[in-house]
Amino acid sequence: MAVSLLLGVHAHQPAGNFPEVLEAAHARCYRPFLQTLHRYPDFKFAVHFSGWLLQYLHDHHAQDIALLRAMVERGQAELFGGGDMEPVLAAIPARDRVGQVHALTQRLQRLLGRQPRGAWLTERVWDSTVVPALVDAGIDYVTVDDYHFLCAGKSPQALHGYYSTEEDDRRIDLFPISEALRYRLPFAPAPEAVAYIERMGETDPDCAAVYFDDIEKFGIWPETYQWVYEQGWLQAFIEGVLGSQLIVTRHFQEHREATSTRGVIYLPTTSYVEMNEWTLPAERAHAYAELVELARTHQRYEQHKAFVRGGIWKNFLSRYDEANWMHKRMLALSARLERLPAERRTPAMRDLLYRSQANDAYWHGLFGGLYLPHLRRAVFAALVELEALLDDAGAQPAEAACDLDLDGVSELFMRNDKVQAVVRCDADAAVVELDDYRLHHNFGDTLRRRDEHYYRRVHRGEQAHARHEGIASAHDRVSFKHQIVPADLQPDERPRASFLDRIELNGHWHWPVYRAQHLTRGEARFTAQLHGMHLAKRYEVRDERLLVHYEFRSEADAQLESQLNLAMPSCDGFLGRYVFEGRVLGGFGQPLVLPAVSALCMEDGVLGGTLELLTTAPMQLTGAPHHTVSQSEEGFEKIMQALTLTMRWMLPAGENTLCVALDMRSGRCAI
């Protein structure tokens, strides 16, 4: 019998991605892929578009979505659903899982005229707790990696059909995606890929060759546009499949109706192999990689890889404080929305919540993810706007101080109707989030520089791996987009926050150890004792300002240094600039040194607003961009995460006071 080729592609772009990136992806991948498939009505395939991307293409390239709709109507294309804004379903509340799946189903019905029965799981993250929500939202089957099945004890030879599982009295069917096909399509020559599929049916009369992977591999990954379209790989592959007497293309639903389940199975919580490595901290990832390499050296890896596992997707939330903070902020606002009486909830609130759950900014692997400021900014923009709407609707937040991120330290939320400052109540007493509700922006959204497993490749200066026939996958490449020096890889010793203080006494610098004295939504007071000095720091929010008051009592002359780490959306682009006394001093990507100033304005054209720094006592002010190094499909790159300003004051012996203000507002500085 012929092999059933169940071929699906997954298309996604993060909400908030740059328009030029979206247009390039459309021109190099989405349009040519759909146009090519449309020429072959007999080639059946499945397709999943995340809701945000589908809507963008419909609004900007309606002719291509019309092609897809025509392929759906003639029975060529099968639609897959999933979470509308591409969340990792296992990482959001059950109520939002159902809502997200329903939202994409409704979007598919509206734009393409069909409701899906199958669903794509974001990053193929499997957790059995998602089953009830998927079934309750009308989903009958999903695709996951064959690796998931191997981890459950299945042999590779048993993975040419679908299995069934259940959770809380709901059944769902599971199709195992072939890793071997993922690595061959589209990287191996088309005749070789077709021949491999044909051989899959030699020992299994009901064989299903299951492929479901990123459509971006067909045009966006390095070299793939030339390979897939200009050199004709996709056309050759389609014609090779249609010309084969041993392969028939089918929909997943067709195969499910024509064959029986191969039995019940219970999969462990996992994702694909590469993801399991990416979730590990650098030190443990080194150990994992060495274990894998040892198994490969002894030619045992393929046989034993299911038992050489890394971490799970949620490890990203414990690896990266910044991801965990966004996640817990999202959970808290989801709970506030749920507590709001139904008549006060609006579609806008729901849409903002779902947008804040988009997976991309919460993790990091081969692609930038968490390391890309504009992706985190999109999440925080949704969170801050949603919070403002909930406040207006009368939904009361939790108590002023709580351990929101579950790390053992409380955070104080100080707010009014214009701004919010979140102070971490530890020894630093620093600001970890600073929101402007009108600009929908968190000025505290930055990223700490930390060690990463792949930095070993940077240190070794590896270049792209040798290739065989075909082209190399982005997983196998090591290249450099920017010049990287050792200092760029040095981990931060302290967190990246604002109002991180140091005191100089008798020629030695010290970190004060603050203790909370008074905490309310409008004011917070912390004190510290340091070698004959008494130090008090008091925060308050007033109108559109965060005010920080310092009081000192010292037996000797001293210096105070306080560091700000500020997220400015323009980063080192031309729309961000320092303005001082009516003069533009330069961009945020340039160093700044001012010997004795009391004010500085930071104007950001991307944000459409400004942040003004004011002090009651002249300060020495220095500024520099804060960069991190991360890997992407284009190679290792340096990314500006924040603008770091360091303020310094001389404090004569005796009593001293000073006040620092951060003034947030829309529009430009007066220049």
Side-chain angles (χ1 to χ4, degrees):
M1 294 181 64
V3 176
S4 294
L5 174 59
L6 312 180
L7 185 145
V9 289
H10 154 65
H12 171 62
Q13 290 289 328
N17 211 352
F18 299 122
E20 59 268 25
V21 173
L22 295 168
E23 289 304 307
H26 168 256
R28 298 178 66 84
C29 181
Y30 308 138
R31 169 175 284 174
F33 187 90
L34 292 174
Q35 289 177 337
T36 301
L37 268 292
H38 188 260
R39 296 201 302 268
Y40 297 92
D42 295 331
F43 190 93
K44 293 183 178 180
F45 70 104
V47 62
H48 168 263
F49 277 89
S50 58
W52 188 84
L53 175 59
L54 181 63
Q55 192 66 52
Y56 176 89
L57 293 175
H58 177 269
D59 294 344
H60 295 85
H61 301 286
Q63 69 277 18
D64 297 313
I65 298 305
L67 278 184
L68 178 57
R69 181 168 184 136
M71 288 189 280
V72 170
E73 292 174 347
R74 72 189 185 191
Q76 181 184 3
E78 177 185 10
L79 298 178
F80 263 57
D84 189 44
M85 289 295 156
E86 198 71 5
V88 170
L89 291 177
I92 65 175
R95 59 180 175 269
D96 297 336
R97 297 170 188 169
V98 175
Q100 286 258 14
V101 176
H102 272 313
L104 182 54
T105 294
Q106 293 164 4
R107 194 186 300 272
L108 291 172
Q109 177 67 54
R110 184 172 68 253
L111 300 183
L112 297 172
R114 197 70 51 86
Q115 294 190 7
R117 306 306 302 174
W120 167 262
L121 293 179
T122 299
E123 298 302 328
R124 307 192 291 281
V125 175
W126 171 260
D127 188 307
S128 62
T129 60
V130 306
V131 171
L134 287 166
V135 175
D136 291 350
I139 298 301
D140 296 327
Y141 50 94
V142 298
T143 56
V144 293
D145 274 13
D146 55 6
Y147 174 75
H148 297 48
F149 292 78
L150 299 178
C151 291
K154 291 296 180 183
S155 68
Q157 296 75 27
L159 301 182
H160 297 153
Y162 69 92
Y163 287 80
S164 302
T165 194
E166 57 79 28
E167 182 79 11
D168 196 20
D169 198 32
R170 275 87 146 189
R171 167 190 168 164
I172 201 166
D173 292 336
L174 311 171
F175 284 88
I177 301 167
S178 168
E179 179 186 78
L181 279 182
R182 284 202 300 116
Y183 286 163
R184 283 175 169 81
L185 274 58
F187 307 108
E192 179 184 314
V194 172
Y196 178 82
I197 296 170
E198 291 175 333
R199 291 194 300 272
M200 291 178 69
E202 292 177 355
T203 59
D204 191 337
D206 292 323
C207 176
V210 181
Y211 176 91
F212 217 124
D213 208 354
D214 298 343
I215 195 175
E216 287 79 15
K217 291 181 176 180
F218 295 82
I220 299 177
W221 283 28
E223 298 184 67
T224 55
Y225 178 78
Q226 293 79 9
W227 172 254
V228 172
Y229 303 111
E230 292 182 349
Q231 298 180 38
W233 183 92
L234 183 56
Q235 178 178 327
F237 175 75
I238 293 172
E239 292 177 354
V241 167
L242 293 178
S244 172
Q245 299 299 311
L246 302 177
I247 305 173
V248 59
T249 60
R250 302 175 91 175
H251 292 161
F252 287 81
Q253 179 67 8
E254 282 184 289
H255 185 81
R256 183 170 173 269
E257 292 173 349
T259 62
S260 299
T261 179
R262 298 203 171 189
V264 67
I265 195 167
Y266 295 92
L267 303 180
T269 298
T270 191
S271 183
Y272 49 87
V273 174
E274 299 91 345
M275 176 73 80
N276 293 347
E277 177 184 310
W278 297 335
T279 66
L280 296 173
E283 182 180 349
R284 305 314 299 159
H286 296 336
Y288 173 82
E290 289 165 2
L291 186 61
V292 169
E293 186 58 32
L294 181 63
R296 291 188 192 278
T297 300
H298 291 87
Q299 298 182 342
R300 295 175 180 171
Y301 178 68
E302 288 303 319
Q303 181 182 359
H304 296 149
K305 68 181 178 182
F307 311 112
V308 185
R309 265 187 270 173
I312 64 173
W313 188 89
K314 283 187 177 180
N315 288 156
F316 287 116
L317 304 180
S318 54
R319 268 196 70 193
Y320 298 106
D321 299 338
E322 301 88 349
N324 185 49
W325 180 254
M326 283 192 300
H327 181 256
K328 300 309 181 286
R329 287 278 277 132
M330 175 273 293
L331 292 182
L333 291 177
S334 175
R336 283 185 63 188
L337 180 58
E338 179 66 15
R339 292 194 300 268
L340 192 67
E343 64 273 12
R344 298 185 190 173
R345 300 177 202 162
T346 66
M349 293 176 183
R350 183 205 64 180
D351 292 345
L352 288 167
L353 174 63
Y354 290 175
R355 185 169 293 205
S356 77
Q357 295 171 340
N359 80 93
D360 310 271
Y362 288 96
W363 66 282
H364 171 62
L366 174 62
F367 306 104
L370 176 71
Y371 273 79
L372 299 180
H374 67 285
L375 299 188
R376 298 196 311 273
R377 186 164 67 246
V379 170
F380 272 115
L383 291 173
V384 173
E385 185 175 358
L386 172 59
E387 190 165 51
L389 292 178
L390 290 171
D391 286 350
D392 290 343
Q396 293 302 312
E399 61 272 22
C402 62
D403 180 11
L404 184 72
D405 55 353
L406 310 181
D407 67 347
V409 177
S410 292
E411 298 85 29
L412 172 67
F413 290 76
M414 305 173 59
R415 58 196 303 191
N416 57 31
D417 61 345
K418 297 182 179 67
V419 301
Q420 173 172 251
V422 182
V423 181
R424 183 174 165 83
C425 302
D426 61 2
D428 290 329
V431 173
V432 295
E433 181 172 338
L434 182 59
D435 303 316
D436 186 312
Y437 286 126
R438 299 154 302 172
L439 295 173
H440 306 150
H441 182 66
N442 170 20
F443 287 100
D445 170 26
T446 183
L447 190 71
R448 185 174 185 166
R449 187 186 294 135
R450 48 174 56 82
D451 193 20
E452 294 285 4
H453 167 58
Y454 51 78
Y455 284 179
R456 297 201 302 184
R457 294 181 177 182
V458 181
H459 290 305
R460 291 196 295 256
E462 293 180 11
Q463 296 300 319
H465 289 189
R467 70 181 65 176
H468 302 290
E469 285 192 87
I471 61 172
S473 165
H475 290 284
D476 297 324
R477 295 173 180 272
V478 181
S479 58
F480 292 85
K481 184 177 180 181
H482 300 136
Q483 183 180 4
I484 310 297
V485 299
D488 295 327
L489 307 179
Q490 188 67 34
D492 288 328
E493 294 182 3
R494 307 291 292 186
R496 289 281 169 176
S498 287
F499 298 100
L500 286 166
D501 304 330
R502 290 200 308 162
I503 298 291
E504 185 271 328
L505 286 168
N506 301 317
H508 299 284
W509 286 95
H510 308 273
W511 296 98
V513 178
Y514 286 107
R515 295 182 181 276
Q517 300 296 319
H518 176 71
L519 303 175
T520 69
R521 288 203 185 279
E523 184 179 82
R525 181 179 174 85
F526 300 85
T527 61
Q529 304 292 331
L530 186 68
H531 303 289
M533 169 179 276
H534 173 79
L535 172 63
K537 177 162 66 170
R538 179 168 61 90
Y539 292 102
E540 64 171 316
V541 291
R542 186 188 304 167
D543 296 325
E544 66 277 355
R545 286 184 171 186
L546 169 66
L547 298 170
V548 187
H549 305 271
Y550 289 95
E551 299 175 7
F552 310 89
R553 188 170 61 251
S554 176
E555 299 172 357
D557 293 346
Q559 294 185 74
L560 168 67
E561 183 179 276
S562 189
Q563 185 184 96
L564 308 176
N565 287 280
L566 303 170
M568 307 302 294
S570 289
C571 295
D572 46 6
F574 69 94
L575 289 176
R577 57 188 188 172
Y578 297 109
V579 179
F580 174 66
E581 294 184 346
R583 294 181 294 115
V584 175
L585 302 182
F588 299 147
Q590 300 171 285
L592 176 74
V593 178
L594 295 173
V597 296
S598 297
L600 178 71
C601 188
M602 289 151 279
E603 181 178 307
D604 196 299
V606 172
L607 179 65
T610 61
L611 185 63
E612 189 170 11
L613 174 63
L614 304 162
T615 71
T616 55
M619 61 184 165
Q620 176 185 318
L621 183 64
T622 60
H626 163 55
H627 290 98
T628 59
V629 173
S630 63
Q631 67 177 354
S632 72
E633 68 274 25
E634 296 183 9
F636 293 108
E637 58 186 359
K638 292 171 64 172
I639 300 174
M640 182 175 169
Q641 299 291 345
L643 167 63
T644 299
L645 294 176
T646 303
M647 305 174 289
R648 184 177 293 184
W649 296 268
M650 301 299 299
L651 304 174
E655 295 187 1
N656 295 274
T657 62
L658 67 90
C659 179
V660 182
L662 284 175
D663 189 342
M664 293 159 272
R665 59 181 183 271
S666 60
R668 293 187 171 188
C669 292
I671 61 172

